[in-house]
Amino acid sequence: MNVNLATEQAEQRRWKLRPQFSDLTVWDQLVANEFLTNDERRRQQENGLSRLLIFSANQVPHYRKLFSRLHLSQSAMPQPNELLRIPPLTKTTIKDNEAALVADRLPRGGKIGGSTHTSGTTGASMRILHSKRSQDMYYFLAQRSRRWDRIDPFGTAAAIRQRPNLPRRTDGTPLPDGETLQLSAWPGIGHYFQTGPFLGFAKSNSLESIADWIEKYQPDTILSDSSLLEHLALEFQRRPPLKCIHTLKAVSEPLTAGRRARIEKMFGAPINLGYGLNEIGIIAACCPEAGRYHVHDEHCLIEIVDDDNQPVTPGEFGRILVTTLTNFAMPLIRYDTGDIAQALDDPCPCGRTLPSFGQVLGRRSRIDTLPTNVISLADAILEVMEQLPENLSRNLQMYQLYHYRDGNFELRTVVADSLRPAFAEHIQQVWRAATASNSTKLRITNVDSIRPAPSEKFFHFDSDLLSPPILRSDQV
């Protein structure tokens, strides 16, 4: 389906601003920006980048010192290719120079909006200070992605998240297990727009109780971590089909094509994907028409680079670097996300002219240190688990493949009752084909639960070579 300025303006009119915000034009500006000409977009990006670089050179101690060493001007408008002279900003640099990355003062009219913390999946957590404009962009861009996905503004939205990612109760305390948070409007977006109600439920509830909760409240949309959506899809194989859900929003963790297909088939609803970071905010939203990611270039710029930090050829994969354009409180310039994505430069078939990139492979740095044969064996088993037919996966609730220091593997499963004997036979057959003549063994075990990582992210694969051994529930 091709879209244009008129179709998106009509869709935006379905969203009714609250009276006190009726004079705000930011959402109309976002719609218009989706269809700029190439020349208009290039000028806008260059102007936004120039403002940030000049400000950073003068007001941010870290960049003042760095730009002086690189002989970048503190007053003249920089040339576009000068960005390539700035070395990528690593997580280590941020942790070691946190105070020096904070601006001495904000631009006229600017305000501090708060701070965010990274999960620490690949290291120690980082604290990022945000301007109010950067913070507000989260809600502005969240509404854009929901407009693209044609979500009903007056439907019931549900979120099943970790407690820090849920609104607090009216008394200021975190939502306990077993309790439902009920709000008359969606958090954030509902501050500006008239919306339907919001329901919140803690991810720490048992899988069965979460499924019971969904059946009871019948939400129109569900936002949750990718892994939990898969666990729920497996759980609902044993339950009557749901008819209420129109859309799903997967966040926080990578989502493979196989797991996405399983979730969408079970719920009979599409998954809406986005790409964002606590350090930056919402970076891109998946195009409903073409499947690629459109960059919110009002908020940030994206580069996809090779090992030499130079742009990769379109169609190739490289590391994602992000430069914020709205956070003058703590500017991040060429921030190295560690994520891998495919570079694109052709126009999107949907009609939007926003920059775009292709498939996101996720953060490979966590497993790149493993031997190639370990990764290939893990991929073989995880692929077959994603594609299990329903007659073999019935009663399966979650799974994790674990690699031990001695080279052997364990497939840990959590089941509601028991799995058919054909399940183990099927997995072992695939394993024998993958291992050929070597003596590496795979043990299939049933455990009471599988714990997420300390960052609360769920890993379908872990190894003694990556982290200390995780005790099974029967070893605690």
Side-chain angles (χ1 to χ4, degrees):
M1 173 184 172
N2 193 265
V3 297
N4 54 45
L5 180 59
T7 62
E8 293 309 298
Q9 287 174 330
E11 186 63 27
Q12 184 62 41
R13 286 193 291 271
R14 294 179 58 232
W15 294 75
K16 306 301 181 185
L17 281 167
R18 297 189 182 278
Q20 64 269 38
F21 299 113
S22 60
D23 59 342
L24 286 182
T25 61
V26 60
W27 291 278
D28 295 329
Q29 294 167 7
L30 288 174
V31 172
N33 191 59
E34 295 165 19
F35 301 95
L36 294 179
T37 66
N38 290 338
D39 287 343
E40 290 171 332
R41 188 168 305 286
R42 183 171 59 253
R43 284 194 297 270
Q44 175 179 280
Q45 291 178 344
E46 290 177 359
N47 289 338
L49 181 59
S50 295
R51 285 194 298 271
L52 180 81
L53 294 180
I54 292 172
F55 172 85
S56 299
N58 286 278
Q59 300 299 332
V60 182
H62 173 78
Y63 292 116
R64 189 159 55 228
K65 181 178 179 181
L66 175 63
F67 291 5
S68 175
R69 189 170 73 245
L70 295 174
H71 303 293
L72 291 175
S73 173
Q74 293 181 312
S75 58
M77 179 175 289
Q79 298 299 311
N81 61 359
E82 286 189 313
L83 185 64
L84 296 177
R85 295 175 55 196
I86 302 173
L89 181 66
T90 66
K91 294 175 174 62
T92 300
T93 300
I94 294 175
K95 286 183 285 189
D96 292 345
N97 299 273
E98 181 180 317
L101 282 162
V102 175
D104 294 334
R105 65 174 179 84
L106 292 179
R108 185 184 299 274
K111 297 180 180 179
I112 298 296
S115 62
T116 57
H117 293 78
T118 63
S119 65
T121 302
T122 56
S125 176
M126 299 183 299
R127 174 182 175 271
I128 306 297
L129 188 67
H130 287 267
S131 67
K132 187 176 186 305
R133 180 64 175 177
S134 172
Q135 192 176 56
D136 288 345
M137 287 300 291
Y138 176 86
Y139 304 114
F140 300 161
L141 298 174
Q143 190 274 334
R144 169 190 266 175
S145 65
R146 284 156 178 77
R147 165 170 53 83
W148 288 1
D149 294 325
R150 303 306 191 240
I151 289 176
D152 179 6
F154 297 99
T156 299
I160 309 166
R161 303 296 312 279
Q162 298 90 346
R163 285 184 183 83
N165 294 319
L166 289 172
R168 289 177 172 253
R169 298 192 295 178
T170 53
D171 63 1
T173 59
L175 185 68
D177 282 355
E179 185 173 311
T180 299
L181 179 69
Q182 300 188 58
L183 303 176
S184 60
W186 304 354
I189 295 176
H191 176 70
Y192 298 99
F193 291 93
Q194 300 172 35
T195 71
F198 170 84
L199 303 171
F201 204 55
K203 182 185 174 184
S204 52
N205 286 284
S206 70
L207 186 63
E208 291 88 349
S209 63
I210 293 174
D212 292 342
W213 182 83
I214 293 172
E215 290 179 329
K216 175 181 177 180
Y217 286 98
Q218 299 281 302
D220 297 276
T221 67
I222 294 178
L223 180 149
S224 191
D225 297 2
S226 302
S227 60
L228 180 59
L229 291 178
E230 184 195 21
H231 299 158
L232 286 168
L234 291 168
E235 170 67 19
F236 271 99
Q237 289 182 148
R238 304 183 301 113
R239 296 174 180 244
L242 287 169
K243 302 295 185 182
C244 60
I245 298 174
H246 297 152
T247 53
L248 300 158
K249 186 76 172 177
V251 297
S252 183
E253 300 159 337
L255 185 65
T256 63
R259 294 200 288 269
R260 181 176 185 172
R262 167 179 282 157
I263 296 166
E264 291 183 332
K265 177 183 178 182
M266 183 52 55
F267 287 108
I271 293 179
N272 301 324
L273 296 173
Y275 178 73
L277 301 167
N278 287 340
E279 304 93 298
I280 304 290
I282 301 178
I283 293 170
C286 197
C287 176
E289 288 77 25
R292 62 176 67 189
Y293 289 87
H294 283 297
V295 179
H296 301 303
D297 69 347
E298 309 90 346
H299 179 53
C300 60
L301 298 180
I302 288 290
E303 303 169 77
I304 299 181
V305 302
D306 58 22
D307 291 340
D308 296 321
N309 303 318
Q310 297 298 308
V312 301
T313 302
E316 294 183 350
F317 286 85
R319 298 186 342 272
I320 299 177
L321 306 184
V322 188
T323 297
T324 180
L325 296 179
T326 62
N327 187 11
F328 286 77
M330 190 175 179
L332 303 183
I333 300 173
R334 303 196 85 200
Y335 172 61
D336 193 336
T337 68
D339 289 333
I340 305 297
Q342 183 184 36
L344 299 175
D345 71 345
D346 59 319
C348 183
C350 76
R352 300 179 183 93
T353 62
L354 289 163
S356 59
F357 56 90
Q359 181 185 6
V360 179
L361 297 183
R363 198 159 296 168
R364 299 291 296 183
S365 59
R366 179 177 172 269
I367 62 173
D368 277 346
T369 57
L370 293 176
T372 303
N373 66 309
V374 171
I375 297 175
S376 62
L377 287 175
D379 286 344
I381 294 303
L382 293 177
E383 182 177 351
V384 75
M385 291 299 293
E386 292 174 9
Q387 298 176 0
L388 277 177
E390 193 171 327
N391 66 313
L392 294 183
S393 60
R394 186 172 294 276
N395 291 334
L396 178 67
Q397 294 179 309
M398 62 181 70
Y399 60 91
Q400 181 189 66
L401 183 66
Y402 200 89
H403 168 251
Y404 288 97
R405 195 172 299 276
D406 64 6
N408 294 318
F409 288 75
E410 180 181 38
L411 179 60
R412 302 167 177 172
T413 62
V414 178
V415 299
D417 185 3
S418 62
L419 295 170
R420 293 180 55 197
F423 167 82
E425 295 169 6
H426 181 64
I427 298 300
Q428 292 292 357
Q429 181 180 6
V430 172
W431 180 256
R432 286 192 293 272
T435 55
S437 60
N438 73 46
S439 59
T440 305
K441 295 181 175 59
L442 172 68
R443 179 176 59 179
I444 301 175
T445 61
N446 183 19
V447 298
D448 293 335
S449 64
I450 300 173
R451 301 172 184 169
S455 64
E456 293 298 324
K457 294 183 185 296
F458 184 92
F459 293 117
H460 287 80
F461 172 71
D462 209 344
S463 169
D464 278 350
L465 304 181
L466 299 173
S467 58
I470 298 175
L471 296 178
R472 298 192 305 272
S473 59
D474 59 0
Q475 296 176 313
V476 177

